[in-house]
């Protein structure tokens, strides 16, 4: 599981899987020229990395662009049906042990002409597996990754599926095939590598050039493979440093190597904090044939300013944060279409279990039961229904309280899981019940510090509703909101975190890193051996056992008063009617998923 897609970040599980008639990449009408077709997209956060697999790079601001610049093995359509990409094929060749073979297509090439092959995927596996790390972490206090010294190897990423691949992969003589063997069955093998915006990862030959000084692409690829096979600490230290930060930039890089890609678009301009321009790459040899020649992404964090940009003709297509004012303003524009629905992100509250605060057993002399009662009491005060009614329904009348930690409303397992996970016990505020629990605990309860983005209007409203409700039950609330909330996650300076996770896939293992002991997204320090055991079972679960196991997981989280989901983000897709085939999907890269179908009249 990757570290972040924070409201631009990670974890919703299985959603509706239905057949679709969408046109696959390369399946459009090639007679329609892309010449002079341009499109400007509005987004709220600027691009910062070509490597979407690192903690820093794993953000929607990056993925919406890398998706256009890189081909993939699989991607999701707007019905969340998994589709074949154009990079090659994925095939399960053995069940016991589980073996998965990736075969690269003959047209799979990096934009500098170097073939895409097994070395690239082997490096991606290594970067996410944690098997080559010599330390558990190597990060600064603000969460950014440190530079490794010559004796340290640390790839700033982890993925539960990659961790199950312990042996070096089998690679064909020509490098066009790579077979990975899992140490145990893994339910989400089909989407483990090469999904959507991640593509095959960063180019191994460029990593070798920057890290090891090897200019020849073939020799560079071999040097990467040799370093992995031999677990060469000196080489891997340099390789991991380049992999971690070597592809990060916030304006147009002088080094063209950082822009090497596999897909139909190339980056041609990047003005820091203002815009990025992509143009069709004339050297692209793959089958994807977009109709739009130039795509520019303009940045502005103010959603009303984005609507104004649509009105002024400066932006054609955008997905700003949905508010009632934004909806009203967009609906009043001539020649503009507005589509409302559920987005890819869900809002939730998480507790901190290990900071000697009001929800930590250490605050009660190690008494687990007292700490749990305080967490349960606080959950009884969270006005989830009120938040949805007052803040979300004006944007999406069909909105409902989300009652699942892992499933999006409408997903095949959602109804059964929410019927059995116990979260409906917190459907309504119960101030008296909360007071009773606090009385049972006795003594003075420490103030509850709530962290959230205090520059975000919606979160300001949510915080105020939560504060007023909790105070009625006797809690003292401290506002520790911060515009830099994301970098503070896990720093133990707060007791409740209010933020959103964005989904990357529909896999049932997607949420593993949110709840497993010590996992990267488990910022609150939650730990329960029973939860870890259920997560282990989910990793290898056959389809007919998945619903029961996910229900067991969510029941355990409810029993432990881990926190609570609140709602699925409302989404507004706003676009000029001259754009045809505008669409969005509820996983990353949302509005970019079908770029090859876009037409601008």
């Amino acid at each position: 599981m990757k570290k972040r897609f924070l409201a631009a970040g990670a974890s919703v599980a299985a959603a509706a899987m239905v057949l679709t008639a969408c046109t696959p990449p390369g399946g459009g009408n090639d007679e329609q020229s892309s010449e002079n077709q341009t499109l400007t997209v509005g987004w709220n956060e600027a691009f910062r990395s070509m490597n979407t697999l690192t903690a820093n790079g794993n953000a929607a601001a990056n993925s919406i662009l890398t998706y256009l610049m890189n081909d993939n093995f699989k991607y999701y359509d707007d019905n969340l049906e998994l589709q074949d990409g154009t990079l090659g094929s994925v095939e399960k060749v053995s069940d016991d042990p589980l073996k998965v073979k990736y075969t690269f297509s003959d047209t799979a090439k990096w934009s500098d002409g170097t073939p895409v092959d097994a070395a690239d995927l082997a490096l991606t596996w290594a970067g996410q597996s944690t098997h080559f790390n010599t330390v558990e972490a190597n990060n600064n206090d603000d969460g950014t990754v440190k530079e490794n010294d010559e004796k340290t190897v640390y790839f700033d990423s982890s993925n539960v599926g990659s961790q199950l691949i312990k042996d070096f992969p089998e690679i064909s003589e020509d490098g066009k095939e790579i077979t990975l063997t899992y140490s145990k069955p893994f339910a989400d093998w089909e989407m483990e590598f090469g999904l959507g915006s991640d593509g095959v990862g960063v180019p191994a030959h460029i990593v070798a050039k920057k890290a090891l000084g090897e200019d020849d692409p073939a020799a560079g690829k071999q040097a990467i493979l040799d370093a992995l096979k031999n677990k060469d600490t000196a080489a891997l230290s340099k390789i991991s440093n380049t992999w971690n930060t070597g592809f990060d930039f916030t304006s147009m890089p002088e080094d063209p190597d950082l822009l090497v890609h596999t897909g139909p678009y190339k980056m041609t301009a990047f003005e820091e904090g203002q815009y990025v321009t992509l143009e069709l790459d004339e050297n692209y040899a793959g089958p994807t044939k977009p109709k739009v020649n130039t795509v520019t992404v303009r940045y502005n964090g103010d959603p009303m300013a984005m609507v104004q940009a649509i009105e002024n003709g400066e932006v054609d297509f955008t997905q700003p944060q949905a508010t009632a004012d934004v909806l009203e303003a967009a609906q009043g524009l001539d020649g503009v279409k507005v589509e409302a629905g559920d987005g890819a992100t869900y809002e939730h509250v998480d507790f901190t279990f290990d900071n000697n605060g009001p929800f930590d057993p250490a605050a009660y002399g190690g008494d687990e039961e007292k700490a749990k009662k305080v967490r349960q009491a606080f959950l009884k005060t969270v006005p989830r229904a009120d938040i949805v009614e007052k803040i979300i329904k004006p944007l999406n009348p069909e909105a409902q309280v989300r009652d699942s930690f892992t499933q999006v409303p409408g997903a095949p397992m959602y109804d059964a899981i929410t019927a059995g996970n116990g979260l409906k016990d917190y459907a309504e505020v119960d101030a008296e019940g909360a007071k009773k629990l606090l009385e049972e605990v006795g003594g003075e309860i420490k103030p509850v510090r709530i962290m959230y983005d205090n520059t975000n209007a919606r979160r300001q409203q949510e915080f105020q509703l939560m504060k007023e409700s909790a105070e009625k039950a006797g809690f003292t609330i401290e506002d520790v909101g911060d515009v830099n909330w994301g970098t503070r996650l896990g720093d133990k300076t707060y007791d409740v975190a209010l933020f959103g996770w964005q989904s990357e896939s529909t896999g049932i293992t997607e949420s593993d890193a949110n709840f497993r002991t010590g996992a990267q997204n488990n910022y609150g320090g939650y730990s329960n051996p029973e939860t870890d055991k259920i997560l282990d079972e989910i990793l290898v679960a056959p389809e007919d056992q998945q619903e029961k196991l996910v229900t067991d997981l969510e029941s355990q989280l409810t029993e432990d008063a881990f926190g609570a989901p609140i709602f699925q983000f409302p989404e507004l897709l706003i676009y000029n009617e001259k754009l045809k085939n505008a669409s969005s999907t509820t996983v990353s890269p949302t509005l970019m998923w079908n770029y090859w179908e876009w037409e601008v009249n």
Side-chain angles (χ1 to χ4, degrees), residues 440-470:
E440 291 174 6
V441 171
E444 184 177 347
I445 306 298
K446 293 184 176 182
V448 176
R449 298 164 294 176
I450 302 180
M451 185 181 70
Y452 63 102
D453 181 356
N454 60 2
T455 66
N456 182 296
R458 181 191 298 158
R459 295 238 169 83
Q460 290 171 352
Q461 291 177 275
E462 291 177 62
F463 168 76
Q464 198 58 41
L465 289 171
M466 288 173 59
K467 178 177 184 293
E468 292 171 1
S469 181

Side-chain angles (χ1 to χ4, degrees), residues 72-76 82 191 193-199 504-505:
N72 50 53
F73 283 103
K74 298 284 183 179
Y75 70 93
Y76 285 103
L82 196 62
M191 58 196 79
F193 298 104
L195 178 65
S197 305
D198 295 338
E504 294 180 80
S505 81

Side-chain angles (χ1 to χ4, degrees), residues 549-566:
L549 285 171
V550 177
T551 304
D552 290 345
L553 169 66
E554 297 206 11
S555 297
Q556 188 64 59
L557 294 171
T558 303
E559 168 62 24
D560 293 341
F562 171 87
I566 304 176

